[in-house]
Amino acid sequence: MKSLCITLLLVSFFSFGQVVHKKKLQMLGSPFEITVIAKDTLQGNELANMAIAEVKRIENLISDWIPTTQISQVNNNAGKQAVKVDLEVYELVERALKISKLTNGAFDISYASMDKIWKFDGSMTTMPTEETIKKSVAKIGYKNVILNPKEQTIFLKMEGMKLGLGGIGQGYIADKVKVLLQSKGCTSGIVNVSGDINTWGKQLDGKSWTVGIVNPMNKNKVFATFPLIDSAVETSGSYEKFVKFNGVRYSHIIDPRTGYPAIGIVSVSVFAKQTEVADALATGIFVLGVEVGLDLVNQLKGIECIIVDDQGKVHTSKGIDVEKFKS
């Protein structure tokens, strides 16, 4: 569950012959929203349609739900043979593997190999057995994803392995939409792919785009408002999808290394220059926990984060001063 504790704060009005043009629809099974500053509604609509076409283009390359995509072909050939893919797909998987390594597998693009033994729809009455949990992640392991740069191929070592780019793909799409629209002369806008948010330029009044962060324990109140200056933010949260056993709250975000749901955190917001990076790190930090997650972020240049634990306490990385941006 993403983005429910992020609120975009937009100023929409006409100025100097320009308009704020916004389009919202369902894509990738999630809400997709594009906001652009354009000379008129006609141009705004053209830019929005370009954004939508780009989302569809990338979805048809990297979705593991669409059987004809290159990622699906890689998955179908797991344990059998390597599959040649477009350079764009190859490089995305290569970067995802780097973040998998950086987070020691807390973020793992082979997570799609997991057996779905946890239910977060209220139907679970007992915890799965330790043996079942261990078995559920037996085929996960980013180290078993073999890249061949010369041949531009991807090979999954074990039969039954599956790549899933859901934890990084939406962020990648947001980045690509931004780059595309900038190349078409769009000087300002926001792309929001299910809470993976990237901005560029400024609002019509010259002010920065801003984002409001909400504590999931008090969702009616924005506790801090941050400017987004040619940068991105992504939030991973478990405040609506979780189960409780013996007083312990288990989130719907599963640790791919153990098969157990992450505990101790209800939301992670990551700020970065690229949505792709924020997307993948948010998941990794959620799994790593407050202390390890913050320690990782504090070592990464240009990355900041806000973590809300399951007691409602807010934790921030070194570069964020919440007091300065409190609403």
Side-chain angles (χ1 to χ4, degrees):
M1 177 67 65
K2 294 179 181 178
S3 77
L4 294 185
C5 65
I6 278 190
T7 305
L8 279 175
L9 308 174
L10 306 179
V11 177
S12 299
F13 51 79
F14 296 83
S15 175
F16 308 115
Q18 291 181 307
V19 298
V20 175
H21 185 82
K22 188 188 299 187
K23 198 161 190 172
K24 191 172 185 178
L25 64 159
Q26 286 287 119
M27 297 191 79
L28 309 165
S30 305
F32 171 81
E33 187 172 354
I34 183 75
T35 304
V36 294
I37 304 290
K39 63 182 180 183
D40 53 35
T41 303
L42 183 63
Q43 187 196 39
N45 206 43
E46 286 175 356
L47 291 167
N49 287 338
M50 285 179 199
I52 291 165
E54 181 70 345
V55 174
K56 290 178 180 175
R57 182 189 73 80
I58 299 171
E59 183 181 24
N60 282 303
L61 281 176
I62 68 171
S63 171
D64 61 303
W65 292 98
I66 301 172
T68 53
T69 68
Q70 294 183 14
I71 289 298
S72 289
Q73 289 172 33
V74 170
N75 292 343
N76 291 338
N77 284 281
K80 299 171 187 173
Q81 62 183 9
V83 174
K84 186 175 174 63
V85 296
D86 290 358
L87 184 61
E88 178 179 4
V89 176
Y90 182 91
E91 290 180 342
L92 175 60
V93 170
E94 188 176 42
R95 293 193 301 274
L97 288 174
K98 285 178 181 175
I99 295 180
S100 297
K101 186 177 180 181
L102 181 69
T103 61
N104 290 316
F107 167 85
D108 192 319
I109 59 163
S110 64
Y111 79 92
S113 317
M114 189 186 306
D115 294 332
K116 308 295 190 293
I117 59 170
W118 296 88
K119 310 288 182 188
F120 298 94
D121 56 5
S123 63
M124 280 188 82
T125 53
T126 57
M127 278 190 62
T129 65
E130 190 175 333
E131 185 182 344
T132 304
I133 293 169
K134 189 176 180 181
K135 187 182 174 186
S136 73
V137 292
K139 292 176 181 175
I140 295 177
Y142 69 91
K143 291 178 182 177
N144 290 319
V145 181
I146 310 303
L147 300 184
N148 184 326
K150 188 178 178 183
E151 301 294 330
Q152 209 173 290
T153 60
I154 302 172
F155 176 58
L156 307 182
K157 270 181 155 182
M158 291 186 290
E159 197 170 340
M161 276 189 77
K162 281 182 73 177
L163 295 185
L165 295 176
I168 193 170
Q170 289 180 328
Y172 173 68
I173 287 171
D175 292 338
K176 291 290 283 185
V177 168
K178 172 181 172 178
V179 170
L180 173 67
L181 295 189
Q182 285 180 316
S183 75
K184 300 298 180 183
C186 182
T187 57
S188 183
I190 297 177
V191 57
N192 181 354
V193 185
S194 187
D196 291 275
I197 297 166
N198 206 336
T199 70
W200 67 102
K202 293 189 175 179
Q203 299 187 66
L204 284 180
D205 60 357
K207 293 180 181 177
S208 300
W209 299 109
T210 55
V211 62
I213 304 294
V214 177
N215 187 327
M217 301 302 199
N218 183 12
K219 288 194 285 187
N220 296 320
K221 188 186 176 199
V222 173
F223 74 80
T225 303
F226 296 89
L228 283 181
I229 303 167
D230 194 30
S231 60
V233 63
E234 198 279 338
T235 291
S236 287
S238 68
Y239 26 90
E240 291 185 350
K241 282 189 177 182
F242 61 91
V243 290
K244 261 190 176 182
F245 293 117
N246 302 319
V248 179
R249 186 181 186 281
Y250 295 94
S251 85
H252 76 287
I253 297 174
I254 311 292
D255 185 339
R257 302 166 301 182
T258 65
Y260 283 86
I263 59 173
I265 290 178
V266 291
S267 79
V268 177
S269 297
V270 176
F271 296 83
K273 278 295 178 186
Q274 291 177 304
T275 329
E276 173 189 310
V277 174
D279 194 5
L281 282 178
T283 304
I285 292 163
F286 202 104
V287 169
L288 289 170
V290 177
E291 288 185 18
V292 179
L294 283 178
D295 184 57
L296 172 63
V297 171
N298 286 332
Q299 295 177 61
L300 300 175
K301 189 178 178 183
I303 310 290
E304 300 294 346
C305 78
I306 298 172
I307 300 172
V308 181
D309 67 25
D310 57 6
Q311 303 302 309
K313 186 178 178 183
V314 177
H315 308 261
T316 62
S317 55
K318 288 178 180 176
I320 287 186
D321 181 0
V322 171
E323 291 301 318
K324 183 180 174 183
F325 298 104
K326 266 194 174 175
S327 298

